[in-house]
Amino acid sequence: MAEVAAAGGAGPDVNTTGNPTEMAMAYLQDETDGDIPDINLGDLDLTTDEFILDEVDIHIQANLEDDLVKEALKTGVDLRQYSKQVESELQRIEQASIKDYIKESQNIALLHNQITACDSILERMEGMLSGFQCDLSSISSEIQTLQQQSVSMNVRLKNRQAVRSHLSQLVDELVVPGAMISTILDSPVTEQGFLEQLHELNNKINFAKELSFRETLACSDIQDIVDRLKLKAVSKIREFILQKIYSFRKPMTNYQIPQNTLLKYRFFYQFLLANERTVAKEIRDEYVDTMSKIYYSYFKSYSGRLLKVQYEEVADKDDLMGVEDTAKKGFFSKPSLKSRNTIFTVGQRGAILSPAELEGPILVPHTAQRGDSRYPYETLFRSQHYALLDNGCREFLFLSDFFMVTGNSALDLFNSIMGKTLSMFLKSMSTYVSDCYDSIAVFLCIHIILRFRAITVKRTIPALDKYWEAVLELLWPRFELILEMNINSIRNTDPQKLGVLDTRPHYITRRYAEFSSAIVSINQTFTNEKTHTLLGQLQVEVENFVLKMAAEFPSRRDQLIFLINNYDMMLSVLMERAADDSKEVEGFQQLLLARTQEFIEEILSPPFGGMIAFVKEAEALMEKGQLDRLKNDEARITQLIRGFSSSWKQSVEAMSQDVMRSFTNFKNGTSIIQGALTQLIQYYHGFHKVLNQPSFRSLAVRSELINLHHLMVEVKKHKPNF
C-alpha cells in the first residue's frame, strides 16, 4: 500500500473530486507525453567530427543481422511504408489502451482513496508502536533493576542460612536438655533411654573438648553441667559392670549369660575408655583377675575328674613290639596288660578323629563314673581340649568385641586370662608324656591337636596357636622315642628265646601289621615325613626279623611257608586301613609274590622234579641248537612220560592238601594251589613242545603222552573253591 501511495504521489496532480473520466484522460495524457517524446531528426548533425562513421557501420551491421530486418529485405518491403504501418499500429494500440484506462477509471479512483485511507491508518499505528517501544524500554530497565535486587537478596539469604545452620548446630550441641539430665541421673543403666542419652552425652563431651581447643567462650557455660553428668554416668556404669563381673564368681554360674549381657552394653566400656581411663582399667583388671581364676578352677577340676575315668591298664616301658608274650618281670614290677596286642591295635580308637566325635559333646565325668565307664587317654584328651577350644574361641571373641582390642593387644589380654590354665595343661601333659608308652594314644593326640588347630585357623582365632605348638613339641618327640624303642626291641630280638617255632604268622609281625596300618591310616590326612621315615625303619627291622625267624626252620619249604604266612598276614591287615599304593603295601606285595613263586617251584619239585629238570635242560640246549645231545635219553624220557601219566592225579591231590594245611589264610592257599597247577601245565606244555622236535618224533612212547587239553580239564577239577 505504501508503494502504491508513493507511486500515486509521484504522478501528476489529479483532482480527486472532479469527473473520473476527465481525471483518467489527464493522467493518461501526462503519461503518454512523458513516455513517448518527440524526436527531431534535424538535431542530428551528420557532419560533426565527433560522429564516428565506424560506430555507425557497427550499428548498421548489427541491425542487418536482426531476423525481422532480414525478412523485410528478402521480401523487398519498403521501409518507409513499413515504418508508417508500424506507427499506425502503435497509435491503434495506444487508443485501445486509453479506452481501457477510462473504463477502469472509477476503480482506479477507488483504489487511490483506499490507499490514502491506509496511509492514515498506518501513520496512526506507527505512532502507537513508537509509544509501545518507549514503554518497553522503561520496563526492561525496571526488570534489570529487579533482577539485580533479587540476586542480592538471594546471596544474603544463603549467607544467613549458612550462618543459621552453623549456629543452630552449635546451639544444639551446647544445650543440655532436661530429658538428658533426668535420664542420666534417675534411669537405670539397662534402659534403652539411658543408652541413647549416654550416646548424646558422649557427643556433647567430645564437642565441648573441640570447642575448648578453639577457645570458644560459650563452652564455659555448659562445661560444669557436662562434667557432673559425666561423673554420674561413670559411677552408674562402673557399678553395673562390676556387679556383672562379680556374678561370675557365684558357684554353678554359666558365665556366658552375663558375658552376653555385657556385649549388649559394650558402649559402656567405650564411654569409660574415652572419658575415665582409670575406671576402665579398674574394670578390665577386675575382669581379667576374675576370669583367670574361674577358668583355672574349672579346668583343673574337670581335668582331675577326667583322669578318674581313664583305663586302669596302661602300657609301660616293657610293653614293646619285640617283647615276648611270656616274658617274666621282676618281683616288684606291676602286672602287665592282659594282652599286649591291644597296645598296637587301633580298633575303634581311630573314630575319635571323625568330625562327629572330634567336635562332639565333651565327657561328663560324674555321669561316666555312675555308669562305670572307662576311656582311653586320647578320648579324655579330646574332651579336655575341645572344652579349651570352645571356651578359648568364645573368650577371645568377647575380649576383642567388648574391650575393643586387636592384634597383639588382644593376644596379650587373652594370655593374661588363659595363661595360667594353659600352663597347667602343659605341665599335666608333660607329666603324662614322660611316662607314656602307648604310641597310638600319643599319635592320636597329635592328630587331635592338628585338627583343632585347623578349626581355629578356619575361625580366624589366633589365640591358641602358641599353645598348639607347645603341645606338639611335647608329643612329637615322645612318639618318636616310643617308635624308636619298638624298633630297637625288634632289632634286638633273639629268635631262639621266642618259644617253639611255628610256620603260622608270628605275634610280633601281627603287632607290627596292626600298628603300621593304624599309623598309616591316621597319617593319611595330615602326612608327616618324620612318621614315614620311622615307619620305614620299623618295616626294615620287621623284614629282617621275619628272615631271622625263617632261618630257624631246617627246611627251605618250612622257611617259605613261614615267610608267606607272615607276609600275607601283614599285607591283609595293612590293606584294611592303608591305601593300596602306600609304600608298605607295595613292599610286602613284592615280597609275597617272590616267595610264593619260589614256594610253587619247591612243592612241584618232589613229584615232578624230573620232568621239570628235563624241560629246563632241553630248552637250554634248544636255544644253543644242541638238542641232539638228548637223543640217547630215550629210557629217561620213557620213564618221565609213564611216571607222570600214572601218578600226576595223586600228586596234585596230595600237593593241594599239603598246601591247604600249611597256610592259615585259605584264600592265600587257594591262590598258591592255582599258581602251582598253572605252572605245572606250563611245564607239561614245554615237555610236549620238546618231544615234538625232530630229534624225538620217532619215539614210540610219545603216543602215551596225555593230551594237554585233557590235562587242563582234569586239573581244573582239583582247584579248590573257598
Side-chain angles (χ1 to χ4, degrees):
M1 295 293 290
E3 292 176 356
V4 174
D13 187 8
V14 181
N15 186 0
T16 59
T17 60
N19 189 354
T21 305
E22 294 176 356
M23 290 170 57
M25 290 296 295
Y27 179 80
L28 291 173
Q29 182 64 40
D30 289 341
E31 290 294 330
T32 306
D33 292 342
D35 291 341
I36 309 174
D38 295 333
I39 300 175
N40 190 359
L41 298 176
D43 292 338
L44 297 175
D45 187 1
L46 302 176
T47 61
T48 57
D49 296 335
E50 289 81 9
F51 192 85
I52 303 172
L53 296 178
D54 293 336
E55 292 182 358
V56 175
D57 292 338
I58 293 173
H59 287 296
I60 293 172
Q61 186 65 33
N63 290 329
L64 290 175
E65 292 179 358
D66 185 78
D67 293 337
L68 189 58
V69 175
K70 287 181 179 180
E71 183 66 25
L73 291 176
K74 287 181 180 180
T75 57
V77 176
D78 186 359
L79 293 179
R80 293 184 186 92
Q81 184 66 28
Y82 184 73
S83 173
K84 290 178 180 181
Q85 183 182 350
V86 170
E87 185 177 354
S88 63
E89 183 69 26
L90 288 174
Q91 288 177 356
R92 186 182 61 77
I93 293 173
E94 180 181 356
Q95 292 299 324
S97 177
I98 290 171
K99 291 178 181 180
D100 290 337
Y101 275 108
I102 291 172
K103 185 179 179 181
E104 297 293 332
S105 59
Q106 290 183 357
N107 293 334
I108 293 173
L110 179 61
L111 177 61
H112 177 73
N113 292 334
Q114 291 177 353
I115 290 172
T116 303
C118 288
D119 283 343
S120 63
I121 293 172
L122 290 174
E123 185 177 357
R124 288 196 304 272
M125 290 182 65
E126 183 179 4
M128 291 174 63
L129 291 174
S130 298
F132 287 157
Q133 185 175 6
C134 294
D135 294 341
L136 288 174
S137 298
S138 62
I139 291 173
S140 176
S141 62
E142 291 176 2
I143 290 175
Q144 290 179 355
T145 303
L146 291 174
Q147 186 177 7
Q148 292 174 356
Q149 292 176 356
S150 175
V151 171
S152 177
M153 291 175 66
N154 190 31
V155 171
R156 290 197 300 271
L157 177 61
K158 288 182 178 179
N159 292 336
R160 290 178 182 179
Q161 288 177 343
V163 171
R164 179 183 178 182
S165 64
H166 289 295
L167 286 176
S168 61
Q169 182 181 359
L170 177 63
V171 172
D172 290 341
E173 294 291 345
L174 288 175
V175 172
V176 180
M180 176 184 292
I181 297 173
S182 61
T183 302
I184 296 295
L185 294 178
D186 302 330
S187 298
V189 297
T190 55
E191 290 188 0
Q192 183 64 25
F194 181 87
L195 185 60
E196 293 174 356
Q197 294 299 331
L198 188 66
H199 278 279
E200 291 295 327
L201 178 60
N202 189 57
N203 293 334
K204 292 187 182 298
I205 293 172
N206 294 332
F207 190 72
K209 289 179 182 179
E210 182 181 351
L211 292 181
S212 64
F213 291 136
R214 301 178 184 176
E215 299 180 357
T216 304
L217 297 178
C219 179
S220 60
D221 296 339
I222 64 164
Q223 190 66 51
D224 182 58
I225 188 171
V226 169
D227 288 341
R228 284 188 288 172
L229 285 176
K230 181 181 72 173
L231 292 176
K232 182 62 176 178
V234 167
S235 175
K236 295 177 72 173
I237 291 172
R238 174 183 177 275
E239 181 181 358
F240 170 75
I241 296 178
L242 288 179
Q243 284 179 354
K244 291 297 178 183
I245 293 175
Y246 293 152
S247 67
F248 294 168
R249 302 176 181 177
K250 296 180 182 179
M252 307 299 293
T253 299
N254 184 358
Y255 63 87
Q256 295 175 10
I257 296 176
Q259 271 188 343
N260 294 333
T261 303
L262 288 176
L263 285 177
K264 184 179 178 181
Y265 301 102
R266 62 174 66 86
F267 181 72
F268 288 172
Y269 184 79
Q270 182 180 347
F271 181 82
L272 295 177
L273 194 63
N275 299 288
E276 199 65 43
R277 286 186 172 272
T278 55
V279 177
K281 185 177 184 302
E282 176 191 3
I283 289 176
R284 176 170 166 169
D285 292 343
E286 192 67 30
Y287 179 84
V288 169
D289 181 65
T290 299
M291 294 306 297
S292 177
K293 292 177 180 178
I294 289 174
Y295 280 125
Y296 180 78
S297 175
Y298 166 74
F299 279 107
K300 183 178 181 181
S301 173
Y302 183 66
S303 300
R305 292 176 181 177
L306 281 178
L307 291 177
K308 294 180 181 180
V309 295
Q310 183 182 2
Y311 281 134
E312 296 179 358
E313 292 184 350
V314 295
D316 60 19
K317 63 181 180 179
D318 294 322
D319 293 319
L320 299 175
M321 199 175 295
V323 175
E324 184 185 357
D325 272 342
T326 57
K328 295 181 180 181
K329 295 188 176 182
F331 181 76
F332 295 102
S333 62
K334 64 181 179 180
S336 180
L337 292 175
K338 295 179 181 179
S339 176
R340 249 190 209 94
N341 290 334
T342 57
I343 304 173
F344 308 102
T345 303
V346 67
Q348 297 300 319
R349 296 169 69 182
I352 196 71
L353 299 178
S354 65
E357 291 199 24
L358 188 69
E359 301 182 49
I362 62 174
L363 290 177
V364 181
H366 61 271
T367 303
Q369 283 181 310
R370 283 202 302 265
D372 199 24
S373 300
R374 290 294 183 268
Y375 301 93
Y377 178 77
E378 65 271 9
T379 301
L380 311 181
F381 181 88
R382 196 280 318 175
S383 185
Q384 180 187 43
H385 281 80
Y386 188 68
L388 174 65
L389 168 69
D390 191 37
N391 286 275
C393 290
R394 184 180 292 106
E395 186 65 29
F396 182 80
L397 293 175
F398 173 82
L399 295 176
S400 301
D401 198 1
F402 185 78
F403 291 103
M404 297 179 297
V405 289
T406 57
N408 292 329
S409 299
L411 294 177
D412 293 340
L413 183 59
F414 178 83
N415 289 329
S416 64
I417 294 175
M418 300 294 295
K420 191 175 180 181
T421 301
L422 298 179
S423 298
M424 177 195 69
F425 273 18
L426 290 174
K427 184 177 180 181
S428 174
M429 182 73 56
S430 178
T431 302
Y432 169 78
V433 165
S434 63
D435 195 38
C436 175
Y437 295 91
D438 187 352
S439 54
I440 291 182
V442 175
F443 198 63
L444 285 171
C445 290
I446 290 173
H447 278 265
I448 289 172
I449 294 298
L450 291 175
R451 284 161 172 77
F452 282 168
R453 184 172 65 180
I455 292 174
T456 56
V457 170
K458 184 178 180 180
R459 296 180 183 179
T460 63
I461 305 294
L464 293 171
D465 288 352
K466 291 185 178 180
Y467 174 74
W468 301 140
E469 294 298 330
V471 174
L472 291 176
E473 288 176 359
L474 286 174
L475 295 177
W476 272 120
R478 188 64 187 180
F479 174 72
E480 293 171 3
L481 176 63
I482 298 173
L483 208 54
E484 289 174 355
M485 291 173 65
N486 281 285
I487 292 172
N488 291 330
S489 70
I490 294 176
R491 182 185 298 124
N492 299 328
T493 298
D494 186 359
Q496 296 181 353
K497 296 181 180 180
L498 296 180
V500 181
L501 291 175
D502 192 345
T503 58
R504 292 175 296 180
H506 201 275
Y507 57 82
I508 290 180
T509 58
R510 179 170 291 280
R511 292 175 187 171
Y512 161 77
E514 296 286 353
F515 176 77
S516 182
S517 65
I519 298 301
V520 169
S521 63
I522 295 171
N523 197 53
Q524 284 176 350
T525 51
F526 287 84
T527 58
N528 181 270
E529 290 302 323
K530 183 68 175 177
T531 304
H532 286 304
T533 303
L534 292 172
L535 284 179
Q537 295 176 6
L538 180 62
Q539 181 179 351
V540 170
E541 295 301 328
V542 169
E543 291 175 2
N544 292 335
F545 165 76
V546 173
L547 293 176
K548 286 194 296 183
M549 288 296 299
E552 296 295 317
F553 291 93
S555 66
R556 183 57 181 168
R557 177 181 175 281
D558 290 340
Q559 292 177 1
L560 292 173
I561 293 174
F562 177 80
L563 291 174
I564 292 173
N565 276 330
N566 281 273
Y567 291 153
D568 177 66
M569 181 273 298
M570 289 187 286
L571 187 61
S572 299
V573 175
L574 281 171
M575 291 183 69
E576 290 178 0
R577 298 183 180 273
D580 293 343
D581 57 349
S582 63
K583 295 180 179 179
E584 292 79 8
V585 171
E586 291 179 352
F588 284 115
Q589 282 178 337
Q590 294 175 1
L591 290 173
L592 177 62
L593 182 62
R595 294 296 176 258
T596 300
Q597 193 61 37
E598 184 179 353
F599 179 75
I600 288 174
E601 296 290 338
E602 186 72 22
I603 60 175
L604 289 176
S605 181
F608 308 109
M611 181 188 69
I612 294 172
F614 176 79
V615 170
K616 291 181 178 179
E617 181 183 359
E619 287 178 347
L621 291 175
M622 284 173 62
E623 291 180 0
K624 298 178 182 180
Q626 301 175 359
L627 189 60
D628 292 339
R629 294 173 57 181
L630 297 177
K631 266 187 176 182
N632 299 326
D633 288 347
E634 182 178 352
R636 177 186 176 189
I637 295 172
T638 301
Q639 182 182 359
L640 291 175
I641 293 175
R642 291 175 178 173
F644 182 86
S645 300
S646 61
S647 64
W648 74 269
K649 289 185 179 180
Q650 296 83 354
S651 299
V652 167
E653 184 66 29
M655 182 178 64
S656 298
Q657 294 177 0
D658 183 41
V659 168
M660 298 309 298
R661 286 194 301 267
S662 300
F663 296 100
T664 55
N665 185 350
F666 288 146
K667 184 177 180 181
N668 185 41
T670 302
S671 175
I672 292 174
I673 292 174
Q674 291 177 352
L677 295 178
T678 302
Q679 188 67 32
L680 174 62
I681 290 174
Q682 290 179 353
Y683 280 131
Y684 199 70
H685 178 263
F687 190 53
H688 268 264
K689 184 178 179 181
V690 171
L691 295 182
N692 284 333
Q693 296 299 315
S695 302
F696 304 104
R697 287 178 183 173
S698 59
L699 295 178
V701 75
R702 285 181 67 251
S703 61
E704 299 180 21
L705 283 171
I706 299 175
N707 182 271
L708 188 61
H709 294 288
H710 175 71
L711 178 64
M712 293 173 65
V713 172
E714 292 295 326
V715 163
K716 285 182 180 180
K717 297 178 182 179
H718 291 79
K719 287 185 178 181
N721 296 316
F722 294 97

